[in-house]
């Protein structure tokens, strides 16, 4: 249940900046730094989500990287997004990769 609440909270926090171009006429007249900021909000949130999946606290309190399918999925998402210039393609591929890996009982 906490994951659903987190998803709703993330939606509430990030949706306004993603919907702004559709809701605010003339947004293209904003200063260039403001447009760059709004364009990069989504990828920044996704990078934070990816980082949470690969950084782990080890027994004893040491922080380290969790090397597993999550790292491969993040790298696949990054590579596909850069190659296809389409974030959705990268995200769908990464989610499918992890889902198939876990469905096969490997992770």
């Amino acid at each position: 249940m906490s994951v659903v609440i987190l998803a709703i909270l993330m939606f509430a926090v990030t949706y306004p900046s993603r919907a702004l171009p559709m809701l605010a006429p003339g947004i293209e007249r904003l200063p260039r730094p403001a447009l760059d900021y709004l364009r990069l909000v989504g990828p920044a949130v996704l990078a934070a989500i990816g980082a949470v999946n690969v950084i782990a606290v080890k027994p004893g309190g040491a922080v380290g990287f969790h090397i597993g399918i999550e790292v491969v999925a993040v790298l696949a998402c990054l590579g596909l997004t850069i190659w296809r210039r389409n974030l959705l393609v990268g995200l769908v591929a990464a989610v499918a990769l992890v889902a198939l890996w876990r469905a096969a009982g490997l992770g």
Side-chain angles (χ1 to χ4, degrees):
M1 184 65 183
S2 63
V3 176
V4 173
I5 294 170
L6 180 62
I8 293 169
L9 180 63
M10 297 269 308
F11 171 80
V13 171
T14 61
Y15 184 74
S17 65
R18 291 182 284 129
L20 196 59
M22 296 181 289
L23 301 175
I27 194 165
E28 65 277 353
R29 293 189 302 255
L30 282 173
R32 184 74 184 158
L35 288 174
D36 289 343
Y37 172 80
L38 290 173
R39 193 185 86 228
L40 295 173
V41 167
V45 169
L46 291 172
I49 293 170
V52 167
N53 284 309
V54 298
I55 297 176
V57 177
K58 297 178 180 181
V63 177
F65 288 101
H66 167 70
I67 306 298
I69 191 61
E70 295 85 1
V71 174
V72 176
V74 168
L75 293 174
C77 180
L78 179 64
L80 282 170
T81 300
I82 291 170
W83 176 49
R84 302 299 301 163
R85 299 191 54 82
N86 187 333
L87 182 60
L88 181 61
V89 171
L91 287 174
V92 169
V95 169
L97 178 65
V98 173
L100 290 172
W101 185 268
R102 290 181 180 168
L106 300 171

